[in-house]
């Protein structure tokens, strides 16, 4: 046959093969742990879909037709290989890929530990300097996303936590020289360096009438750090990210009245990993905010 006839399902093939092996509907039904009437209907449905008789039935015996014998001989090794493949796949511990950009929040270590204990699954950490940490390109199964989720992205999210922002400035730079604390509104008067791929701060966060000037842009965290260190402008980042990614030519300045950075967990709306929803639900006890 050039194609599988419509209506043929794996249960039909397993049912037929059990009867072909036992040559007895009662015994085959016991092997499959189904009722005999249901098994009879299953085999009849396969015969109807194929348009041929596979079994000769009388009140005293069941025998294979020529077509039934051919199907049994070809089907038996195929189903055996399929069962072996499924057993092998099921014997491997499931693995969930957790994507992030610049830094995983500290709470994720506790979350991963709790998730692994609850599911027995492994977790692989995947860093990607891409929007949504490469979630939509298939690089990860669940993504840690700082800042706003891109409008229209085919994802579902849950708020994990919120992080304070800090300013990052070049040592000795004229802007904010010697300051230890700066009000958010004051930053409208300084040039801004923006990471346009995975950054969380842009001039749009300020009112239209008093926004900082965009000094330059960067495509990743390392470029962003070097641009700020070169004195092109001031950078704004989540405090844990700025604290983790230090640079000898940079210093951090605490901000007052700055809007916090929302950190989300995101999963694809369609074709999500089977354990992705479990990970989102596990995050509830670690979240400091309601679901996003």
């Amino acid at each position: 046959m050039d194609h599988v006839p419509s209506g043929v399902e794996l249960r039909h093939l397993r049912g037929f093969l059990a009867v072909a092996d036992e040559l007895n509907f009662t015994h085959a039904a016991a092997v499959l742990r189904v009722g005999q009437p249901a098994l009879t209907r299953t085999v009849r449905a396969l015969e109807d879909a194929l348009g041929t008789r596979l079994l000769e039935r009388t009140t005293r015996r069941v025998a294979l037709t020529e077509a039934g014998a051919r199907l049994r001989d070809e089907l038996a090794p195929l189903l055996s290989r399929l069962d072996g493949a499924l057993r092998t796949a099921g014997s491997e511990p499931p693995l969930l890929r957790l994507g992030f950009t610049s830094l995983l929040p500290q709470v994720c270590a506790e979350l991963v530990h709790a998730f692994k204990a609850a599911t027995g699954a492994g977790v692989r950490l995947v860093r990607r300097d891409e929007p949504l940490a490469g979630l939509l390109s298939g690089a990860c199964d669940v993504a840690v996303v700082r800042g706003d989720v891109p409008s229209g992205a085919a994802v579902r999210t849950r708020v994990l936590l919120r992080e304070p922002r800090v300013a990052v400035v070049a040592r000795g730079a004229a802007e904010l020289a010697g300051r230890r604390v700066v009000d958010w509104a004051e930053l409208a008067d300084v040039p801004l360096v923006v990471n346009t791929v995975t950054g969380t701060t842009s001039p749009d966060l300020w009112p239209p009438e008093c926004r900082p000037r965009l000094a330059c842009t960067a495509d990743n965290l390392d470029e962003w750090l070097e641009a700020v260190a070169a004195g092109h402008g001031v950078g704004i980042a989540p405090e844990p990210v700025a604290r983790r990614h230090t640079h000898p030519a940079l210093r951090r300045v605490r901000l007052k009245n700055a809007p916090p950075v929302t950190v989300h967990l995101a999963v694809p709306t369609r074709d999500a990993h089977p354990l992705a929803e479990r990970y989102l639900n596990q995050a509830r006890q670690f979240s400091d905010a309601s679901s996003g």
Side-chain angles (χ1 to χ4, degrees):
M1 290 181 291
D2 294 331
H3 64 280
V4 177
S6 61
V8 174
E9 301 176 12
L10 186 57
R11 64 185 179 89
H12 296 145
L13 302 178
R14 291 192 186 281
F16 162 73
L17 194 58
V19 176
D21 288 341
E22 299 291 334
L23 293 179
N24 184 293
F25 275 87
T26 301
H27 295 168
V31 169
L32 296 175
R33 297 182 180 180
V34 299
Q36 182 178 334
L39 180 57
T40 299
R41 290 193 297 271
T42 295
V43 173
R44 187 172 292 123
L46 178 62
E47 291 178 323
D48 290 344
L50 297 178
T52 188
R53 185 67 65 191
L54 301 173
L55 299 168
E56 294 291 350
R57 308 167 181 82
T58 69
T59 56
R60 302 178 61 181
R61 63 188 290 271
V62 175
L64 289 166
T65 65
E66 184 178 343
R70 283 200 308 271
L71 181 61
R72 179 203 57 194
D73 293 343
E74 294 187 15
L75 192 59
L78 293 178
L79 287 186
S80 177
R81 288 174 58 192
L82 175 61
D83 289 339
L86 293 176
R87 283 194 299 271
T88 299
S91 66
E92 294 293 330
L95 181 68
L96 188 75
R97 297 169 301 164
L98 179 62
F100 66 102
T101 53
S102 53
L103 177 74
L104 273 176
Q106 188 170 351
V107 70
C108 282
E110 302 172 49
L111 175 54
V112 165
H113 179 76
F115 173 77
K116 291 167 68 174
T119 64
V123 176
R124 176 182 297 164
L125 304 182
V126 179
R127 177 178 173 176
R128 289 289 187 276
D129 285 323
E130 304 173 34
L132 296 177
L135 182 67
L136 298 184
S137 67
C140 62
D141 306 307
V142 179
V144 176
V145 181
R146 283 184 167 90
D148 294 335
V149 175
S151 177
V155 298
R156 292 184 297 107
T157 64
R158 180 184 299 282
V159 173
L160 183 61
L161 74 158
R162 291 182 172 87
E163 298 174 332
R165 282 181 165 90
V166 297
V168 180
V169 300
R171 295 184 182 277
E175 296 86 0
L176 313 182
R179 300 284 296 276
R180 301 181 69 176
V181 181
V182 172
D183 192 273
W184 177 257
E186 295 181 64
L187 296 176
D189 299 324
V190 302
L192 201 63
V193 177
V194 173
N195 177 349
T196 57
V197 177
T198 61
T200 56
T201 304
S202 71
D204 294 344
L205 289 177
W206 284 262
E209 66 276 8
C210 53
R211 285 177 175 168
R213 175 177 61 85
L214 181 61
C216 67
T217 61
D219 293 334
N220 56 62
L221 181 65
D222 292 330
E223 289 181 4
W224 179 83
L225 289 169
E226 294 300 338
V228 176
H232 294 317
V234 173
I236 311 295
E239 191 277 336
V241 174
R243 177 164 31 91
R244 171 66 175 81
H245 295 276
T246 59
H247 190 292
L250 298 175
R251 65 184 182 90
R252 300 190 303 274
V253 178
R254 189 161 59 88
L255 294 176
K256 287 173 33 180
N257 302 315
V261 177
T262 302
V263 183
H264 302 87
L265 291 177
V267 300
T269 303
R270 299 181 58 186
D271 299 325
H273 190 285
L275 287 174
E277 192 67 33
R278 290 283 300 276
Y279 192 88
L280 258 63
N281 290 335
Q282 192 79 45
R284 284 181 179 174
Q285 60 183 296
F286 297 91
S287 176
D288 69 345
S290 59
S291 300

